[in-house]
Amino acid sequence: MKQAQRAARRAANRLARAAALLLLLLGTAGVALAAPRVPASDDEVVEKLPVIAGWLDAQRKLRRELAQRPGDEATAIEAATTYLDLARSQGDARYAGQAAAALQAWDATPIAQTPPAVLVMRATVAQFLHDFDGAETLLKAALARRPADPQGWITLATVLRVRGRYDESDAACRALGRVGPALYGVACLAENAGLRGNHAAARDALRGLLADPSLAGAPQAGTRQWLWTSIAEIEELAGRPAEADAAYRKALAAERSGYLLLAYSDFLQRAGRSREIPPLLAKEARSDAVLLRLAIAHTQAGKPQASRAVVPEAEELRERFEAAALRPGTTAQHAREEAMFALDVQGDAKRAVELARLNVRLQREPIDLLVFARAASAAGDAAARDEAKALMREIGLKDARVDAIP
């Protein structure tokens, strides 16, 4: 019995980490990829990755273990997870490349013969890089062979939700509820219910989970933060900014995360409280997503003089976008961030509409439709505004913020 309980706790901890990682990846997946450059010789140092406290020793250990056991599934997945965590926390997609490299022992192995856990890890990397089709294919292949994998189901539910396929996401949520801790299945379905406009039911379900005494301790801070963040986003969809603000603050009190800080920064911007954003993000790595929020905050704080001022974050981000554009096929990967940059920093609403339209072909989270609708309104583009509304009807998304846009 004790062994079973310990196994259950380990499974729950892995699932909690997966849920937290997925939430964070959603906020950092728009990282721009640098343009490729071929060095003149093997001795040329192209660029040094930033030195992170304590990371060099861990990196050496990971590489040593991978060299000793390149085909060991557990070692490869641990290394890939560590690299992907770093990619997320630093906002640097190159670490995602190292996560993929940690799994290279199976590069030549057919999907049907690749360990399911490796497929799930590859799918998580693919999601980070906005390859949602690839992630879905890998996840379905893994779950066909190991249908009792809760991490596979929660990842699939999230990928489908991001694409606006709520019914299919519901099915994955229900499968998750059958094979994993009940909390995750309930929260998964509640998030989808909130997107459809069933705000009260979703809010009550998530608050019911938070009322469980087992979530009160420090080890469950990440889970509480995830649930409060979900409630905050549902309150925003319902058009209840005061309640959303209170929920965001409870999430911050539980535990800070990159996704949460970005979501709250966007809320503060929409609430006309951009001056609160720089202190909130002061200790975060200067990822594209963080730089974008800082550029928006400083631009808005400088109005009406913003057109004559040079915002350092805006210049740095513009250079990153220009460098990324040199690599074919990368524009769509960070079209959301470029659309927000064009709209809220450069004041180029027409360009923002083009980018936002490109973005919603790939992903359809509430922020994607909101940016599209805002850009269409700012550009006076009635056709694009109707397009955003039609897409919301098609996927079943209800968002009071979009409804309020003229």
Side-chain angles (χ1 to χ4, degrees):
M1 177 64 73
K2 289 184 178 179
Q3 283 184 329
Q5 290 174 337
R6 285 196 293 270
R9 282 196 296 269
R10 287 196 296 271
N13 288 338
R14 286 195 299 271
L15 194 54
R17 184 179 183 185
L21 179 59
L22 284 167
L23 196 63
L24 292 163
L25 292 183
L26 291 175
T28 57
V31 175
L33 304 178
R37 180 163 69 86
V38 180
S41 72
D42 291 342
D43 297 326
E44 180 182 351
V45 177
V46 178
E47 185 174 356
K48 293 183 178 180
L49 291 174
V51 177
I52 301 166
W55 170 239
L56 287 179
D57 289 342
Q59 189 176 42
R60 292 191 189 99
K61 180 182 177 182
L62 282 174
R63 288 178 173 172
R64 184 169 58 251
E65 291 178 349
L66 280 171
Q68 293 171 350
R69 300 185 295 279
D72 182 76
E73 180 181 330
T75 300
I77 290 174
E78 180 183 1
T81 301
T82 301
Y83 280 122
L84 197 56
D85 284 346
L86 196 61
R88 177 264 307 164
S89 65
Q90 296 300 307
D92 194 328
R94 289 169 295 187
Y95 290 115
Q98 294 192 39
L103 305 170
Q104 65 183 348
W106 293 273
D107 281 354
T109 305
I111 288 181
Q113 298 172 22
T114 301
V118 172
L119 294 177
V120 172
M121 191 67 238
R122 277 184 171 167
T124 308
V125 176
Q127 181 189 4
F128 182 89
L129 297 174
H130 278 194
D131 179 11
F132 298 117
D133 289 338
E136 182 180 345
T137 297
L138 291 168
L139 289 166
K140 288 183 175 178
L143 289 166
R145 292 164 52 200
R146 193 167 69 174
D149 182 358
Q151 185 171 342
W153 285 117
I154 194 172
T155 309
L156 180 60
T158 303
V159 168
L160 293 169
R161 180 185 299 128
V162 168
R163 306 303 296 275
R165 292 156 58 186
Y166 302 150
D167 289 346
E168 294 173 75
S169 182
D170 280 346
C173 292
R174 285 191 286 270
L176 170 63
R178 289 192 293 269
V179 302
L183 178 148
Y184 296 100
V186 172
C188 187
L189 286 169
E191 289 180 332
N192 288 349
L195 292 168
R196 289 188 176 97
N198 301 323
H199 305 127
R203 181 191 309 120
D204 291 346
L206 294 170
R207 285 184 175 274
L209 294 173
L210 282 162
D212 188 337
S214 66
L215 293 186
Q220 297 298 325
T223 301
R224 294 197 306 277
Q225 180 252 108
W226 165 44
L227 295 173
W228 277 118
T229 302
S230 297
I231 290 173
E233 292 179 327
I234 289 168
E235 298 290 21
E236 284 205 80
L237 292 172
R240 291 157 47 100
E243 290 80 359
D245 193 14
Y248 275 126
R249 290 182 179 278
K250 288 181 179 179
L252 288 168
E255 184 177 273
R256 296 165 73 92
S257 75
Y259 179 91
L260 168 60
L261 293 173
L262 294 177
Y264 191 44
S265 294
D266 291 342
F267 170 82
L268 292 173
Q269 179 215 338
R270 290 188 291 269
R273 296 161 56 189
S274 291
R275 293 183 184 277
E276 298 177 41
I277 295 175
L280 185 69
L281 301 179
K283 296 182 180 180
E284 296 302 295
R286 291 172 71 84
S287 67
D288 289 0
V290 168
L291 280 175
L292 173 62
R293 273 69 181 186
L294 291 173
I296 292 173
H298 291 314
T299 297
Q300 291 191 344
K303 288 180 178 178
Q305 293 82 20
S307 60
R308 296 191 299 272
V310 176
V311 177
E313 291 83 1
E315 286 299 298
E316 183 177 349
L317 194 56
R318 181 184 58 77
E319 291 173 0
R320 291 191 188 187
F321 285 148
E322 289 178 354
L326 298 176
R327 179 168 179 163
T330 60
T331 300
Q333 292 178 345
H334 48 90
R336 175 201 293 171
E337 284 70 27
E338 286 206 58
M340 294 171 66
F341 184 73
L343 180 62
D344 295 316
V345 178
Q346 297 178 316
D348 188 346
K350 290 186 178 179
R351 173 65 173 158
V353 170
E354 295 174 2
L355 290 162
R357 179 180 283 116
L358 176 64
N359 178 55
V360 296
R361 294 174 186 167
L362 181 67
Q363 56 183 355
R364 296 169 177 180
E365 293 185 83
I367 187 174
D368 301 307
L369 276 301
L370 179 58
V371 170
F372 192 14
R374 289 182 56 233
S377 177
D381 190 335
R385 182 70 178 89
D386 291 343
E387 186 180 341
K389 287 183 176 181
L391 185 53
M392 288 178 63
R393 288 193 298 270
E394 176 186 331
I395 66 176
L397 174 64
K398 302 291 180 62
D399 190 338
R401 298 169 301 178
V402 175
D403 293 340
I405 296 174

